Amino acid sequence: MTLTAAKRVITGWAMYDWANSVYNLVITTTFFPIYFTKATFHHFKSDTVPFLGMHLKSTSLYSYALAAAYLVIALLYPALTSIADTRGNKKSFMQFFCYMGAIGCSALFLFDGSNLGLGVFCFMLASMGYVGSLVFYNAYLPEIAAPEDQDRVSAKGFAFGYIGSVLMQLIGFGLVLLIKDNPFFSLRLNFLLVGIWWAAFAQFTFAVLPKTPRQPAARKNVFKAGFTEVKKVYAEIKKMAVLKRYLRAFFFYSIGVQTFMSAATLFGSDVLKLDDTKLIVTIVLIQLVAIVGATWMSRLSQKFGNIRVLMGVIAFWVLLCISAYLTAGQAEHLAPFHEKIAELQLQKDDLLAKKGQMTSTAFELADANVEGELSRWQHDLAPHQEPIEYSFYLLALGTGLVMGGIQSLSRSTYSKLMPETKDTASYFSYYDLSEKIAIVVGMFTFGFVGQITGNLKNSIIFLIIFFIIGLIWLYSAQARQQQESAPAI
């Protein structure tokens, strides 16, 4: 029987959430999507970039890179979980992925838009490090906490991660405001700091996590053992009508949820052309609203049942997607303004580059002309752009309300539908694998549709379809549950 470890071990374990959650919020959610599109546009003078012999929209390339990173992890996931369950060196593997991710983040400091291969590689490295290390981090929970304490310990890790990531984001936002004359440098400095933060605070975790005993099955081929376990769980779930339907629903609506959250900053920056500072502030506010949303959703589930609440939440996600699509449609009419402003800003950059070759009078005259025209276009755009900004803020508020709660409620619903078994780790590994594959499908679809149609707005249509399919399967799960006269959850 597992006994809950000493307080210092529990706190040390939770500190890894503090350490690595900064990647998810600061890199993938906020700063890097903004920097990636702006830096590549600055270098290539276009939102289409050359990569591996192809010409891709920068937003699509970003989506493909994240999808590819999760695909690698999804393929390795069964083997990684097998290692976590049977080998005594899970701390070593956790350290490996931790340092991989931290190095990937810090190395993004060297990415300036011209070295596209380096940027994509380091971003994928950071993403794989983040997801890979969590496999072993989560595997420690049942070893350091008794079953009755696991929810409390897990919540402590979540709280540490939330506080740490918001704190780092505020530091990053401060750097952006302080170094206004060189915004690219301030963003790159954030990437360096995230890597240092991740590796440094992880030391508190590695110092206290216990060594785990090697299991008798450790000599098995981990790849074969891992995929055999996935196949076994899949065969068992196929016989459970309600759980089978619920997992199908989870897979499809997770495509929508994970893609919507991962691509929100790209959408705001590329489609709606929102100011970077306003985007960053909005993302911070979403995190604060998410706490309220998670609490609110938990109370609703106690009153109406998990599946009913999930159905209502998915319907709300569909409304969010429709609103985002309509807002993007409004933004399309402003394209001539944004194109002209981008052209004038490029002219201003070119002038600065040629400043040393011009007389002082000639430079000042040319700069004044460009600046004057730029100000006029920005002034004319402002009254048309404001309604779009307010629409985005409302979308962000709605996203925050359902963002955190849907993930925790989905997991607890799965836990309630699971059969009574001692092999809970295998079932949850299968659940996590489904979510990883959903992210791959979602981000690839988002990037591919944006690439072939030339507008990320059209990708939202496919997210709506995924949500509706998920909603249908949820309804089917509820109907089957009622047919079996099982207690509603």
Side-chain angles (χ1 to χ4, degrees), residues 33-46:
I34 294 172
Y35 178 78
F36 186 81
T37 54
K38 295 292 173 68
T40 51
F41 183 86
H42 180 76
H43 178 75
F44 294 103
K45 312 301 182 189
S46 170

Side-chain angles (χ1 to χ4, degrees), residues 259-386:
T259 306
F260 196 101
M261 293 193 300
S262 298
T265 306
L266 281 181
F267 177 77
S269 177
D270 183 72
V271 179
L272 305 185
K273 308 296 182 185
L274 298 182
D275 176 74
D276 295 349
T277 302
K278 292 176 181 177
L279 266 177
I280 294 168
V281 171
T282 305
I283 297 299
V284 174
L285 293 176
I286 286 176
Q287 308 306 312
L288 298 175
V289 174
I291 299 177
V292 178
T295 305
W296 165 70
M297 203 177 296
S298 175
R299 290 177 180 174
L300 283 177
S301 66
Q302 291 172 8
K303 185 175 182 179
F304 299 104
N306 290 30
I307 293 182
R308 281 187 180 179
V309 172
L310 280 173
M311 288 170 66
V313 170
I314 299 306
F316 188 76
W317 273 105
V318 172
L319 292 178
L320 285 175
C321 287
I322 292 172
S323 299
Y325 184 84
L326 295 175
T327 303
Q330 287 180 295
E332 277 184 323
H333 300 303
L334 304 181
F337 287 93
H338 293 296
E339 288 168 5
K340 185 63 179 179
I341 289 170
E343 179 188 326
L344 290 169
Q345 286 173 334
L346 286 175
Q347 287 181 25
K348 193 169 182 180
D349 290 341
D350 290 340
L351 267 178
L352 286 171
K354 297 174 183 176
K355 185 177 180 180
Q357 305 167 19
M358 302 169 68
T359 64
S360 177
T361 304
F363 173 78
E364 289 175 3
L365 180 62
D367 186 57
N369 287 335
V370 174
E371 186 63 41
E373 193 174 356
L374 183 59
S375 296
R376 283 193 297 274
W377 277 91
Q378 288 174 332
H379 179 269
D380 291 342
L381 171 65
H384 303 289
Q385 183 72 6
E386 276 185 8

